[in-house]
Amino acid sequence: MFFWLREIAGWALLVTSLFILRTGLMLVLNAEEPQIVEGGVILFAAGTLMRVSVLLIRISTAARICNTDREAPRA
């Protein structure tokens, strides 16, 4: 049952990472005064957070598949 919590946390982190990615890109692509270093750090953090969120979603999906396979009747 914990796989639902992992999946919800993964999707929430994914949405958060997309918001942070947008913020970092706005810093880097600012036409008046681009902040390359600050934006780069934020983009790195967003990328790391995105990797973690995708990992949580993958683990949750694998747990759900294993749980379904365990409950299936054997022939």
Side-chain angles (χ1 to χ4, degrees):
M1 188 61 182
F2 284 114
F3 53 85
W4 288 110
L5 294 175
R6 274 188 234 132
E7 188 161 358
I8 290 170
W11 284 109
L13 286 174
L14 187 65
V15 169
T16 305
S17 71
L18 289 175
F19 177 73
I20 294 173
L21 184 70
R22 180 182 175 267
T23 304
L25 283 175
M26 289 185 69
L27 283 175
V28 171
L29 299 176
N30 188 2
E32 296 171 2
E33 188 178 332
Q35 299 173 347
I36 305 297
V37 176
E38 294 88 347
V41 171
I42 291 174
L43 289 175
F44 179 75
T48 304
L49 190 60
M50 191 175 293
R51 287 185 61 155
V52 168
S53 65
V54 170
L55 177 67
L56 279 174
I57 294 170
R58 283 189 348 207
I59 289 172
S60 170
T61 304
R64 199 169 353 128
I65 290 171
C66 289
N67 194 20
T68 304
D69 187 43
R70 188 175 13 162
E71 293 173 355
R74 302 276 179 190

